[in-house]
Amino acid sequence: MTQHDQAVRHIEVDPTPRRFARGWHCLGLTRDLADGRPHRVDAFGQRLVVFAGSDGALHVLDAYCRHMGGDLSQGTVKGDEIACPFHDWRWGGDGRCKQIPYARRVPLRARTAAWPTLVQDGMVFLWNDPEGNPPPADVTIPRIPQVGDDRWTQWLWYETVVDGANCREIVDNVVDMAHFFYVHYSFPTYFKNVFEGTTAHQYMDGAGREDVRPARPSARNPVVLGTSSVAAYHGPSFMIDEVTYHYEDLDVDTILINCHYPIDESSFVLQYGIMVEKKEGISDEDAEAMAATTGKFIRYGFEQDVAIWKSKARIDNPLLCEEDGPVYQLRRWYQQFYVDAADVAPEMTDRFEFEIDTTRANEAWHREVQDNLAARDAFPG
């Protein structure tokens, strides 16, 4: 054995990017943010305020008043303006100070940063660009036609703060076939990625693990036999996932949203929402119950991910095997959002396809599940 063969592979960690991704970021649901009150959002290394004026239009401004630094998110919405709690300076959604009740006139330079926003499908999006450019017309979030359809439930929405991790950790999951077995208790029987432009697709079929099924299945806790999923990140932070859950007597179609925005370089807010199709013969009440059950299942899965992200090391030179998928290609695609628009290279956006052969993995995993079932039968309880 040579000295080279004995060399230890060291983990390489590049400096965490100081800039934040260019693109649309979802801040939450319209129904929660357009309630006539100011809302504090810590994002992109600073504090923002989100508010809707009396006309219902939603706005996002830098939260600290340019007068004496008051926190506008602690202020009051007055008409179409947000009033600072310190001296009542009134700021419009365009970032201009509209009035100062105790002053003869407003200073000409009384202007703060107003962030481009998009309200769509019951969600509020904010555009971030370190270069300060407006969103290009061809960089959009696709519409979700099921929203507002009576045959679908309303959004069930969840939010959690992930400390000690950069946003890239969640995006890596797009190509991570194997973690679905170990973390999410599924057999990925088909797994393919397609990256092109600003979109990253994941196509997956999965079967449920018999060794983790509920001991007492019921209508409110049914057995999931498997899933079929088409998921796509549109830009750096917003994924739409069309998932069909296969049960013994029924297929349930869902729309799952998986999105995030950075608080700073080492923490982010993870949000996810779900809506479920109301099948023929199923009451609205049962459909809502099914959505809640599915949401609970998804929430458990994300909590498993969060536990991993909080404890793992950042690694920029992952040591991969053939079945690990195109991790480096995904990261090259993701890098386009962290460089100036003029520096986006073709290898970041050119079409790339990769399908993983899951045969070997599933053979090993089925043996493991059978061993688990045999051990459980030998030592029940």
Side-chain angles (χ1 to χ4, degrees), residues 219-276:
R220 295 297 175 95
N221 192 24
V223 172
V224 179
L225 302 179
T227 58
S228 303
S229 168
V230 177
Y233 264 106
H234 300 281
S237 69
F238 187 78
M239 173 185 274
I240 303 173
D241 190 359
E242 299 177 61
V243 190
T244 299
Y245 290 87
H246 305 294
Y247 297 93
E248 288 186 354
D249 302 315
L250 185 70
D251 285 348
V252 177
D253 295 320
T254 69
I255 302 294
L256 170 65
I257 299 299
N258 165 15
C259 58
H260 62 272
Y261 61 84
I263 299 173
D264 52 33
E265 297 89 342
S266 59
S267 62
F268 61 92
V269 172
L270 169 64
Q271 298 184 92
Y272 45 102
I274 186 171
M275 57 190 302
V276 175

Side-chain angles (χ1 to χ4, degrees), residues 67-146:
H67 172 222
M68 293 288 285
D71 184 351
L72 297 178
S73 70
Q74 301 299 312
T76 308
V77 178
K78 297 182 178 180
D80 293 330
E81 297 144 14
I82 179 74
C84 179
F86 201 178
H87 299 90
D88 203 27
W89 284 39
R90 314 282 179 84
W91 298 90
D94 60 358
R96 294 183 181 276
C97 182
K98 302 299 184 181
Q99 60 172 306
I100 306 168
Y102 61 87
R104 290 189 179 90
R105 63 184 64 88
V106 175
L108 293 176
R109 299 178 65 182
R111 187 166 187 175
T112 189
W115 296 64
T117 57
L118 169 69
V119 178
Q120 180 173 291
D121 294 331
M123 292 170 281
V124 180
F125 297 86
L126 174 146
W127 174 260
N128 178 64
D129 186 347
E131 296 180 89
N133 295 320
D138 61 341
V139 179
T140 59
I141 300 295
R143 298 301 301 258
I144 302 173
Q146 293 87 345

Side-chain angles (χ1 to χ4, degrees), residues 177 188-191 323 356-363 365:
M177 181 273 294
T189 56
Y190 176 78
F191 200 93
E323 285 76 14
I356 297 177
D357 183 352
T358 64
T359 305
R360 171 68 180 84
N362 278 284
E363 289 174 351
W365 291 335

Side-chain angles (χ1 to χ4, degrees), residues 333-354:
W333 169 85
Y334 188 54
Q335 185 62 23
Q336 68 177 290
F337 306 111
Y338 288 87
V339 299
D340 289 350
D343 296 328
V344 175
E347 59 264 25
M348 298 175 182
T349 58
D350 285 349
R351 185 178 178 87
F352 174 85
E353 297 187 28
F354 190 91

